[in-house]
Amino acid sequence: MSTFLNLLVYGLADGAILALAALGFVLIYKATSVINFAQGEFLLVGAYMFYTAFVMMGLPLIAAVAVGVVVATILGVVVERFILRPMIGEDPISIIMVTIGLSMLLNALVQMFYGTSVKSQPAILPRGSVDFLGATVPLNRLLVILIAAVVLTAFTIFFRRSRHGIAMRAVADDQQAAMTMGISVRRIFALAWVLAAVSALIAGVLLADISAVDQNLAAFGLLVFPVVILGGLDSVPGTIVGGLTIGLLKQFVSGYLDPGLATVIPYVVLVLILLVKPYGIFGETRIERV
Amino acid sequence: MATATGIYHRTYSSELRLRSTRAELFRLGLMVVLLVVLPFVLDNYWLSIVNTILIAVIGAVGLNILVGYTGQISLGQGGFLAVGAYSSALLSERMGMPVPLAIAFAVVFTAVIGTFFGLPGLRLKGLYLAIATLASQQIIEFIIRRWGWLTEGRGYITLDRLNVLGWTLPRESFEQSWYWILLVLAAIAVMAARNLFRTGLGRSFMAVRDQDIAAEAIGINLTRAKLTAFAVSSGFVGLAGALTAHYTETVTWEAFTLNVSIMYLAMIIVGGLGSIAGAVYGAVFMSLLPVLIRELADVVGPAAPWLSAQLPAIQNAIFGLVIILFLIIEPRGLNRLWERAKEYIRFWPFRY
């Protein structure tokens, strides 16, 4: 029972972070129909920026987060303006490839400035553990779940209530109609990239806190694909369901069966979903038969 | 030739020719002379680089058949290379099959596996297919890493020096001998691919790429065309994989990761999607790039020691940058740049 609870909490924590990372991915896909292969590198850059501000510059936590957000915003705007905007109207292969190129570039830049060694960062979240139904559950995982839940709720409210959120949904729904209503599609595109970079920053910092600040953060980003395919490429609630499902599945397979198998099981799920229900659980079904 | 105003065919046989002007024939002759002279002027180090380029040419041509000509994006190239390499290595080492036969079987087997992973392509397009092939890459990578039977638990397979029908490759002229073998195979691959797109089958691939619904309306069997494209392309890739195995004489999973898939995609994008010549240019360019960066770092090494320490990162950064810049500035790649250069010279001093 205690193993089960532990795996449950670990899985939910992983899933919550995955949901955050996937949120950025879905935002970009929804608003700009770009598949962003560099989402994992956004996590990486976010975590390293936070590390720079928090550890290397010795800023207090709040200031370090602010620095991270500013850098993520700049990164989002620059990437949208100089890399993705010239690619508007190109075929999907080119757009996928340009984000792959971007991911290689970001990864290499991080490696150039910080090297490949693991950086030690003082724990932000408390390290203790609590007894819960007879199991010892680490406190920081529980807090990760909580923080991710708060951030995801905040994003959901933003989409439902705020002007910009509604404008983003309008652009996602129909670009031309949104334009005629006076919405600046360019600004919304930039906003989508900024929000993606910021949510990746949060995910990256949380992930770095429960694991370590190193290059493996980017590899975690590839898991975004099973998550979004499961939940539906253009669905915000889908990222939560997909993220939690994949996070739990990974932890349970690794705990009960084989840790090696856990690395590949998300992709097996991905293939099965693509064969059975390619638009995912919550994805919008576009009728395009081949 | 500068006075010619165009190419006018008077007979059917002249129209069927791949090269119709004297300038084109001259360039071909130049190329042949260069390729024949190459092994006599290069040392073993550079010749080994040329050999890896020749293998990359076969793989890139194969990938371009699928991505550039049929429009089915594939991130599973590394996995298919692995299938070719492992099957050929196992057949020749473990089962004692003659190497040419083992390679032939590896080609067929990779084509079968490629067709299987092409099945999602029947229902999926563009982005979804990219993600599906990404998954196939991860799954194949997992299998070759974890399935102990493949490598008898050692994690790698070693192969004997190439032996064709009792003739063992001489050690002293290892690179030279391989050069001729690979050159012939690469030339056959390039010519086969070039001619494939002059047949009905190749044309049907291109029709599927341009507009699949219209293609179906004019009577192309989409299922057949897509699966054949996957099979043909994987066949080429399997050949490249099998040759890698026999040339390097070791097979490990590290040589077939997702990065390899990306590297090959970068080759055909930098070279030019949907052009056989482009695949060749791209393979040469992307294989030479890291080598040239390394050479450059050696030259300026003493002046800037940090440069050689950062070399892998710098190589990756330049890789990423080259991909991005090509896509933004010249999406049709080196092939288009070369064509534009030729046109500029032909029309000079006029703009067009």
Side-chain angles (χ1 to χ4, degrees):
Chain A
M1 192 61 196
S2 69
T3 325
F4 175 78
L5 259 184
N6 252 324
L7 291 177
L8 187 72
V9 172
Y10 275 80
L12 286 178
D14 275 10
I17 295 171
L18 271 177
L20 272 179
L23 176 74
F25 184 90
V26 167
L27 279 181
I28 292 174
Y29 182 70
K30 231 171 126 74
T32 70
S33 39
V34 168
I35 288 276
N36 182 18
F37 268 82
Q39 191 68 14
E41 274 66 24
F42 278 17
L43 256 74
L44 185 75
V45 172
Y48 272 91
M49 282 306 134
F50 179 79
Y51 168 80
T52 314
F54 189 56
V55 179
M56 290 167 75
M57 289 158 66
L59 294 176
L61 182 63
I62 302 293
V65 172
V67 168
V69 170
V70 169
V71 174
T73 308
I74 296 170
L75 178 71
V77 171
V78 167
V79 164
E80 195 277 331
R81 178 65 191 88
F82 294 104
I83 298 182
L84 270 306
R85 198 175 294 171
M87 300 297 296
I88 288 178
E90 297 282 339
D91 58 344
I93 299 176
S94 308
I95 293 178
I96 287 170
M97 228 22 232
V98 90
T99 61
I100 289 177
L102 175 68
S103 78
M104 289 181 82
L105 182 63
L106 288 178
N107 211 328
L109 287 178
V110 167
Q111 197 187 331
M112 234 186 265
F113 285 110
Y114 298 94
T116 47
S117 61
V118 179
K119 305 287 178 202
S120 64
Q121 175 173 295
I124 311 163
L125 302 171
R127 279 293 135 116
S129 51
V130 286
D131 285 330
F132 182 69
L133 290 178
T136 320
V137 177
L139 194 59
N140 58 356
R141 308 270 165 171
L142 288 176
L143 281 170
V144 162
I145 301 172
L146 192 70
I147 294 172
V150 169
V151 174
L152 285 168
T153 319
F155 269 109
T156 314
I157 293 173
F158 171 79
F159 288 124
R160 297 212 177 274
R161 301 272 176 238
S162 80
R163 262 181 98 77
H164 288 292
I166 293 169
M168 273 188 90
R169 281 164 57 207
V171 170
D173 198 41
D174 188 332
Q175 277 183 24
Q176 285 186 353
M179 263 176 170
T180 59
M181 303 306 290
I183 295 168
S184 163
V185 172
R186 287 180 173 186
R187 210 173 293 165
I188 294 298
F189 277 21
L191 185 65
W193 279 91
V194 168
L195 289 181
V198 170
S199 69
L201 165 85
I202 301 169
V205 172
L206 290 178
L207 184 64
D209 195 55
I210 59 171
S211 56
V213 184
D214 63 5
Q215 301 265 323
N216 286 333
L217 294 175
F220 192 81
L222 272 187
L223 280 175
V224 161
F225 289 104
V227 171
V228 293
I229 289 295
L230 183 61
L233 263 180
D234 48 9
S235 156
V236 175
T239 62
I240 301 171
V241 175
L244 294 182
T245 314
I246 296 290
L248 286 174
L249 187 71
K250 256 196 89 171
Q251 285 297 339
F252 281 128
V253 169
S254 132
Y256 286 121
L257 297 171
D258 174 11
L261 191 63
T263 58
V264 80
I265 205 82
Y267 298 100
V268 177
V269 173
L270 196 165
V271 172
L272 291 179
I273 294 285
L274 280 179
L275 286 176
V276 181
K277 201 171 183 304
Y279 296 105
I281 304 172
F282 297 104
E284 187 189 341
T285 314
R286 257 159 299 150
I287 298 176
E288 185 182 27
R289 297 216 169 82
V290 190
Chain B
M1 52 192 175
T3 52
T5 51
I7 302 162
Y8 301 105
H9 299 292
R10 292 200 183 80
T11 57
Y12 285 117
S13 63
S14 91
E15 198 183 359
L16 281 176
R17 249 179 252 150
L18 276 173
R19 285 155 213 279
S20 36
T21 66
R22 246 177 297 163
E24 280 172 327
L25 285 172
F26 176 71
R27 280 200 298 272
L28 180 69
L30 214 61
M31 197 70 206
V32 169
V33 170
L34 181 76
L35 286 172
V36 168
V37 170
L38 214 52
F40 300 106
V41 290
L42 291 182
D43 60 7
N44 276 343
Y45 167 70
W46 283 100
L47 207 52
S48 73
I49 290 166
V50 172
N51 285 343
T52 48
I53 291 177
L54 287 172
I55 296 177
V57 163
I58 300 175
V61 165
L63 188 63
N64 215 355
I65 292 175
L66 187 62
V67 180
Y69 281 101
T70 322
Q72 310 291 305
I73 187 164
S74 166
L75 283 167
Q77 176 89 358
F80 297 145
L81 282 169
V83 172
Y86 275 84
S87 49
S88 178
L90 288 179
L91 286 172
S92 62
E93 289 302 300
R94 203 79 64 79
M95 321 214 169
M97 204 182 259
V99 173
L101 203 59
I103 292 180
F105 266 102
V107 169
V108 174
F109 185 61
T110 316
V112 172
I113 296 282
T115 316
F116 174 74
F117 280 104
L119 284 175
L122 298 180
R123 292 189 65 191
L124 307 171
K125 277 166 72 170
L127 317 168
Y128 284 93
L129 189 60
I131 298 174
T133 51
L134 172 74
S136 78
Q137 163 76 32
Q138 299 282 0
I139 291 170
I140 295 179
E141 209 179 302
F142 174 77
I143 292 172
I144 59 173
R145 265 177 90 162
R146 304 272 306 194
W147 193 14
W149 177 82
L150 284 178
T151 59
E152 290 175 328
R154 283 174 304 168
Y156 61 92
I157 310 175
T158 49
L159 287 91
D160 294 332
R161 197 131 32 86
L162 185 72
N163 184 322
V164 183
L165 307 172
W167 173 77
T168 311
L169 207 80
R171 182 189 294 278
E172 57 277 9
S173 64
F174 179 82
E175 300 289 352
Q176 279 82 358
S177 312
W178 264 110
Y179 174 80
W180 294 114
I181 297 170
L182 292 174
L183 182 66
V184 169
L185 288 173
I188 292 173
V190 168
M191 279 193 286
R194 184 78 177 78
N195 281 307
L196 173 68
F197 292 100
R198 288 143 54 88
T199 65
L201 182 69
R203 302 276 194 222
S204 75
F205 289 177
M206 290 196 268
V208 169
R209 171 194 63 190
D210 293 337
Q211 234 309 335
D212 45 4
I213 297 168
E216 198 165 25
I218 57 170
I220 289 166
N221 184 341
L222 272 191
T223 311
R224 229 191 78 199
K226 280 187 179 177
L227 289 184
T228 321
F230 265 99
V232 172
S233 156
S234 312
F236 278 81
V237 177
L239 177 63
L243 290 173
T244 316
H246 290 284
Y247 172 62
T248 58
E249 295 176 358
T250 47
V251 182
T252 58
W253 66 270
E254 282 105 336
F256 308 107
T257 56
L258 182 62
N259 285 339
V260 178
S261 305
I262 293 173
M263 170 90 173
Y264 271 93
L265 270 180
M267 280 178 196
I268 60 171
I269 282 179
V270 166
L273 283 174
S275 119
I276 297 297
V280 178
Y281 301 151
V284 173
F285 183 85
M286 291 309 269
S287 312
L288 276 183
L289 192 61
V291 179
L292 293 180
I293 297 170
R294 207 183 317 139
E295 291 290 315
L296 192 69
D298 285 346
V299 173
V300 296
W306 57 271
L307 196 66
S308 43
Q310 297 282 13
L311 203 56
I314 291 174
Q315 280 178 352
N316 278 337
I318 293 179
F319 250 68
L321 211 58
V322 163
I323 297 174
I324 295 174
L325 289 179
F326 259 100
L327 281 167
I328 292 176
I329 297 167
E330 182 50 272
R332 288 162 74 192
L334 287 169
N335 186 46
R336 182 76 194 121
L337 284 181
W338 171 231
E339 276 170 11
R340 282 225 304 253
K342 277 192 296 193
E343 273 166 23
Y344 181 83
I345 294 169
R346 193 181 315 143
F347 296 128
W348 191 85
F350 304 109
R351 290 295 296 280
Y352 54 87

